[in-house]
Amino acid sequence: MNSSTSEEPCFVVGVDFGTTRNVHRFTSVAFAYSDAPEEVEMITAWPNGATSDTESDQVPSVMHYSDTASGTFTWGYSTPDNFRAPIEVLKWFKLLLQHVSEKSTCSIAKSSSSQLSDTALSLALQESVVLHEQSSKPIDLSNPAETSRTMLEELEIEPVQVVEDFLLRVREVTVATIKNKYSEECVRGAKIKYVLTVPAIWSDLAKDRMIKAAIGAGYGKHRIDFDLISEPEAAAAYTLKAIQPNHLSVGGNFVVCDAGGGTVDLISYKITSLNPLKLDESVAGTGDLCGSVYLNHRFEQYIRQRLGNRTIDKMKLRSKREMFRSWEQGVKFKYGNRVGIEGYEVHVLGVPDSDEKNIEDGFHSMTNQEVQDIFDPIVDKVIALVQQQIDAVETKGEEVAAILLVGGFGSSQYLLKKLKETNWACKKNDRQIPTLQPVNA
């Protein structure tokens, strides 16, 4: 971001639009005052949100338009949620800024510029928690981005407008929070500069749409009042500052593995300066459809095989949601960070007890091996992607000093453990490469 020539005080606000947490998208905001740059604050008081749970520092990136004529909408925690008759809300709409031109079930592909194809981007934003009550067959992963596209076409609202409306509310909460924390004199005399994260794989057109939305939302002029930064670069800068690893130095290369909900994106950087921190891209970005949502998909395949399609299809919608909630919070998020645990349980409310199916009092028991069988095929894909980046760096006659694991899925202790244990194929000799997992990256 361009800085002004004067030393005027300012607030720097980082907006991470769409941080992955479970199968939804969340947005988080951090800010600091130029006179105390080390005192970084997170916004934790969102409208209608809790202030004491683990997600208090994030707001769901969801929208619901109740009256398109007047532009009336709700957002974040204020969007309606009726378990008995779910109301469709707009999700993953940020992705619609990157044009998706066709529907396909093909696997991920790379363009000549190493960007994810439009089709892959469409498929990347998928979730499996909402199972239709009357389903008569295993549920395919739904595509909330494409669902949102269809809804917007019916509402006659452009995706840029939705992003603008959402960013406007985020900015309003941000400004109000800053005013509540600092004195009126301090705020009145300081400028606010914003930095918004965007995927590294985005096209220039998608970035232009993001800029248009930010301008419409009151963020000011591009490159003066706000700027865009790629998500992997932001994560890398945060990690290097937070951890300050002593085995990384000027000239060193590292791989950023941004493991999210739909995709796992990777890119490699070389450190050209430590103070101030400067990074150059050493290997172009790559990625694949192996984010944490595919663990949900594999769990659904598992639970249907163990309990039977008929049993799952007879469950109430609310019970199905609770089953997936317990899988995510009680198994997926905890797997790998608990020692001495012989197994896990998920809720299967309304399903009769069965020794054969390991069901008792509305709980289905899973062994460690069963959970590992769900994780390993997805984790193996991530390992293969990291190896490709290592190979590309070594093709240039250089080595990888470290792997930075970030993103929602990147917080998995099991994924971290597997990356640390891997003997990477290197030209000189196979070796383990330090894998760093910063908090909240």
Side-chain angles (χ1 to χ4, degrees):
M1 174 177 292
N2 296 340
S3 58
S4 60
T5 55
S6 63
E7 295 298 326
E8 296 178 352
C10 70
F11 290 94
V12 178
V13 177
V15 181
D16 189 4
F17 179 19
T19 303
T20 303
R21 177 71 66 86
N22 59 57
V23 295
H24 300 295
R25 298 288 283 184
F26 281 74
T27 291
S28 57
V29 177
F31 63 91
Y33 187 48
S34 58
D35 286 355
E38 299 301 321
E39 298 179 9
V40 179
E41 300 279 345
M42 294 289 295
I43 293 183
T44 57
W46 297 99
N48 290 331
T51 58
S52 59
D53 62 24
T54 58
E55 293 179 350
S56 63
D57 60 353
Q58 302 183 53
V59 61
S61 304
V62 295
M63 296 277 287
H64 175 70
Y65 287 85
S66 55
D67 186 351
T68 55
S70 62
T72 303
F73 63 87
T74 53
W75 70 290
Y77 291 107
S78 301
T79 54
D81 187 6
N82 188 320
F83 282 103
R84 297 186 181 279
I87 298 175
E88 288 287 354
V89 297
L90 298 168
K91 304 176 183 179
W92 302 75
F93 47 84
K94 169 185 172 182
L95 187 75
L96 298 181
L97 298 185
Q98 176 85 314
H99 179 63
V100 182
S101 59
E102 60 180 322
K103 298 178 182 179
S104 173
T105 56
C106 67
S107 59
I108 196 166
K110 287 287 175 182
S111 67
S112 58
S113 62
S114 296
Q115 293 183 341
L116 289 174
S117 68
D118 287 341
T119 300
L121 281 164
S122 172
L123 293 173
L125 298 185
Q126 302 178 0
E127 62 181 3
S128 59
V129 292
V130 180
L131 302 178
H132 298 290
E133 189 172 355
Q134 301 302 321
S135 172
S136 59
K137 61 181 181 179
I139 305 299
D140 292 331
L141 286 174
S142 63
N143 189 333
E146 196 61 36
T147 299
S148 292
R149 174 191 294 280
T150 301
M151 292 170 61
L152 288 178
E153 289 175 351
E154 295 174 353
L155 295 170
E156 297 183 346
I157 301 175
E158 292 294 325
V160 172
Q161 184 62 54
V162 181
V163 175
E164 177 182 320
D165 289 342
F166 182 82
L167 289 179
L168 171 62
R169 292 293 184 261
V170 169
R171 185 182 65 81
E172 290 174 343
V173 173
T174 300
V175 173
T177 301
I178 291 175
K179 289 182 176 180
N180 287 337
K181 179 171 178 60
Y182 293 86
S183 67
E184 182 178 347
E185 180 181 359
C186 179
V187 175
R188 185 174 59 247
K191 183 177 182 179
I192 299 179
K193 297 183 178 181
Y194 299 91
V195 181
L196 294 88
T197 62
V198 296
I201 57 175
W202 263 17
S203 64
D204 289 340
L205 178 58
K207 293 176 184 176
D208 287 343
R209 289 168 176 161
M210 183 70 168
I211 291 170
K212 179 180 179 181
I215 292 173
Y219 285 74
K221 295 182 179 180
H222 183 223
R223 301 190 188 284
I224 297 177
D225 303 303
F226 76 92
D227 211 338
L228 307 183
I229 184 174
S230 73
E231 291 164 355
E233 184 176 359
Y238 168 81
T239 301
L240 295 178
K241 183 176 181 179
I243 297 180
Q244 297 181 340
N246 55 22
H247 50 273
L248 286 179
S249 56
V250 173
N253 292 277
F254 60 93
V255 176
V256 179
C257 177
D258 187 356
T263 61
V264 173
D265 303 307
L266 299 95
I267 191 168
S268 295
Y269 291 105
K270 174 184 286 189
I271 301 175
T272 58
S273 172
L274 288 174
N275 189 21
L277 179 64
K278 294 182 179 180
L279 307 173
D280 282 347
E281 181 180 302
S282 53
V283 175
T286 55
D288 204 346
L289 300 173
C290 49
S292 64
V293 72
Y294 292 93
L295 295 175
N296 294 3
H297 183 45
R298 288 186 58 79
F299 166 72
E300 183 183 342
Q301 292 176 324
Y302 159 84
I303 201 70
R304 285 185 172 275
Q305 184 178 24
R306 288 290 281 117
L307 274 61
N309 286 336
R310 186 173 182 179
T311 297
I312 299 299
D313 295 337
K314 288 174 63 178
M315 292 176 67
K316 298 293 185 180
L317 176 59
R318 195 169 186 175
S319 297
K320 291 176 182 177
R321 285 187 165 185
E322 175 59 23
M323 178 178 69
F324 272 92
R325 187 202 65 78
S326 64
W327 149 254
E328 291 203 315
Q329 297 185 7
V331 185
K332 189 172 79 171
F333 293 160
K334 295 181 178 180
Y335 185 61
N337 64 355
R338 303 172 69 186
V339 180
I341 302 298
E342 296 182 357
Y344 297 83
E345 291 183 329
V346 294
H347 295 168
V348 286
L349 304 178
V351 179
D353 290 359
S354 171
D355 291 338
E356 180 184 359
K357 299 177 180 179
N358 287 343
I359 299 174
E360 184 178 3
D361 296 333
F363 289 88
H364 166 68
S365 299
M366 302 176 66
T367 66
N368 278 325
Q369 186 61 53
E370 287 172 330
V371 178
Q372 182 177 334
D373 289 344
I374 291 174
F375 268 77
D376 279 351
I378 306 301
V379 170
D380 289 344
K381 286 187 177 182
V382 178
I383 292 174
L385 287 171
V386 175
Q387 183 65 65
Q388 290 174 9
Q389 286 282 316
I390 295 173
D391 293 343
V393 171
E394 293 201 333
T395 298
K396 296 186 173 185
E398 302 184 28
E399 293 185 351
V400 172
I403 300 164
L404 307 187
L405 180 61
V406 300
F409 186 25
S411 64
S412 166
Q413 292 301 302
Y414 184 69
L415 177 57
L416 174 65
K417 173 177 176 289
K418 297 294 284 187
L419 289 174
K420 284 186 173 182
E421 292 176 349
T422 299
N423 283 319
W424 303 100
C426 302
K427 287 186 176 180
K428 292 184 178 180
N429 58 284
D430 292 355
R431 62 187 176 95
Q432 292 182 339
I433 298 175
T435 302
L436 311 177
Q437 186 190 57
V439 177
N440 297 327

